[in-house]
Amino acid sequence: MAFSNLTSKAVLLYDEWIKDADPRLEGWPLMSSPFPTTFIIGTYIYFVTSLGPKLMENKKPFELRQIMALYNFSVVTLSSAILKKTMILIFLMSGWATGYSFRCDIVDYSRSPTALRMVRTCWLYYFSKFIELLDTIFFVLRKKNNQVTFLHVFHHSIMPWTWWFGVKFAAGGLGTFHALLNCIVHVVMYTYYGICSLGPAYHKYLWWKKYMTTIQLVQFIMITGHIGQIYIMDDCPYQYPIFMFIIWLYGSMFLVLFLHFWYHAYTKGQRLPKMAKNGISKDQ
């Protein structure tokens, strides 16, 4: 009886909470509730941390060079499409070049063409995070289990999960700045991985690999600095301050981790064994 009452209260709280969701996303794929996203992420975590390694334990690693090359370049194509046709066109035309101040930019909940373009690009960014889960699955199938670190799995799990809430409740405003930067970085990263997966004959074209960590560091500095403004502004009526704290916490955490890597890799001249080889990381 007590469990039944607790369940009923939880359902009532959920129904009350979901009433504040953005009605413009009614009927959109994966947007009905957080449970489909949670199920996908839960299945992903179970496979890459338990089921996958057990299935591969007594098997030879799969040779996935051609598949990985296709995958990496496909992701670059997707990221480029999002970046050039969506991020630059929609993010910029939906606010970042047409009125956003790069300070306290609130969410536009209207049904204007500009606001609806922003909603679409936020959903596309969220959906792209599910495609990137294949990164870890390839690690498992190739028996590169040392690359399936807590940090890697945490990053790939938390991004689509938190972005479901971002899209559902706050598709726009200053909370989208880090997505714009992240897509730019991903185009560069997956270009690197695509060339790398073609084989040793193409590695001579990867002379710029040492700059990848710098690019990632600049990304986190810009994200943390931009979102941190909310704590020093006198009055910012952004609708969901909790999202600002999550973005700031996430950006700060990865900034510290990458500064730690930078110190060991470039200041002390030592590579970290489980961090990114060749001066880069696939966690961002």
Side-chain angles (χ1 to χ4, degrees):
M1 189 69 176
F3 178 76
S4 177
N5 289 335
L6 186 63
T7 303
S8 298
K9 288 181 179 179
V11 171
L12 288 173
L13 285 172
Y14 174 81
D15 289 340
E16 190 66 27
W17 167 73
I18 207 70
K19 286 179 182 178
D20 293 328
D22 191 337
R24 297 174 299 180
L25 287 144
E26 190 72 32
W28 286 43
L30 298 172
M31 284 286 108
S32 59
S33 81
F35 299 113
T37 296
T38 304
F39 175 77
I40 292 171
I41 295 170
T43 303
Y44 158 78
I45 293 173
Y46 174 64
F47 178 83
V48 302
T49 62
S50 179
L51 180 61
K54 287 181 180 177
L55 292 175
M56 293 299 298
E57 188 174 6
N58 297 315
K59 295 181 180 178
K60 292 182 179 180
F62 285 93
E63 177 56 54
L64 302 173
R65 185 176 299 279
Q66 293 181 340
I67 294 175
M68 288 187 65
L70 177 63
Y71 164 70
N72 280 309
F73 280 117
S74 296
V75 172
V76 170
T77 302
L78 173 64
S79 296
S80 295
I82 292 176
L83 178 67
K84 295 176 182 177
K85 296 180 181 178
T86 306
M87 294 303 176
I88 290 180
L89 176 61
I90 302 181
F91 267 156
L92 295 182
M93 295 307 296
S94 298
W96 290 108
T98 57
Y100 277 16
S101 64
F102 288 83
R103 288 181 58 77
C104 182
D105 301 300
I106 63 175
V107 183
D108 180 0
Y109 288 104
S110 74
R111 291 186 178 271
S112 69
T114 299
L116 292 175
R117 282 198 299 265
M118 179 64 85
V119 174
R120 286 193 290 271
T121 197
C122 286
W123 185 89
L124 283 171
Y125 179 80
Y126 152 78
F127 183 75
S128 72
K129 295 302 164 186
F130 289 107
I131 298 174
E132 291 167 16
L133 299 181
L134 290 171
D135 283 350
T136 329
I137 293 173
F138 286 146
F139 287 157
V140 172
L141 295 179
R142 296 170 62 219
K143 300 186 78 168
K144 302 287 186 180
N145 294 328
N146 64 309
Q147 294 180 297
V148 186
T149 63
F150 168 80
L151 182 60
H152 177 92
V153 175
F154 171 75
H155 164 69
H156 280 69
S157 302
I158 202 68
M159 283 297 287
W161 196 76
T162 54
W163 257 84
W164 183 90
F165 295 93
V167 176
K168 188 71 172 178
F169 291 91
L174 72 160
T176 61
F177 180 68
H178 74 285
L180 175 60
L181 291 181
N182 188 243
C183 275
I184 294 171
V185 171
H186 272 200
V187 169
V188 178
M189 283 180 56
Y190 281 101
T191 299
Y192 174 92
Y193 290 117
I195 296 172
C196 189
S197 64
L198 294 176
Y202 292 86
H203 290 182
K204 61 184 177 182
Y205 301 112
L206 299 175
W207 55 267
W208 46 276
K209 62 187 178 184
K210 62 182 179 181
Y211 299 109
M212 285 299 302
T213 302
T214 303
I215 293 171
Q216 291 168 316
L217 273 173
V218 170
Q219 173 192 202
F220 296 125
I221 290 170
M222 292 178 68
I223 289 171
T224 306
H226 172 261
I227 214 67
Q229 295 179 99
I230 198 169
Y231 297 107
I232 59 175
M233 283 186 270
D234 293 334
D235 181 34
C236 182
Y238 182 78
Q239 295 91 333
Y240 288 95
I242 184 63
F243 292 155
M244 300 302 93
F245 175 75
I246 292 171
I247 295 169
W248 177 83
L249 183 65
Y250 194 74
S252 299
M253 178 183 69
F254 274 96
L255 176 59
V256 170
L257 289 170
F258 272 80
L259 282 172
H260 181 254
F261 170 76
W262 176 274
Y263 173 72
H264 283 274
Y266 298 109
T267 303
K268 296 183 68 176
Q270 300 173 356
R271 297 292 183 193
L272 300 183
K274 288 191 178 181
M275 291 295 283
K277 293 182 179 180
N278 300 325
I280 57 176
S281 172
K282 207 165 185 175
D283 286 331
Q284 261 293 328

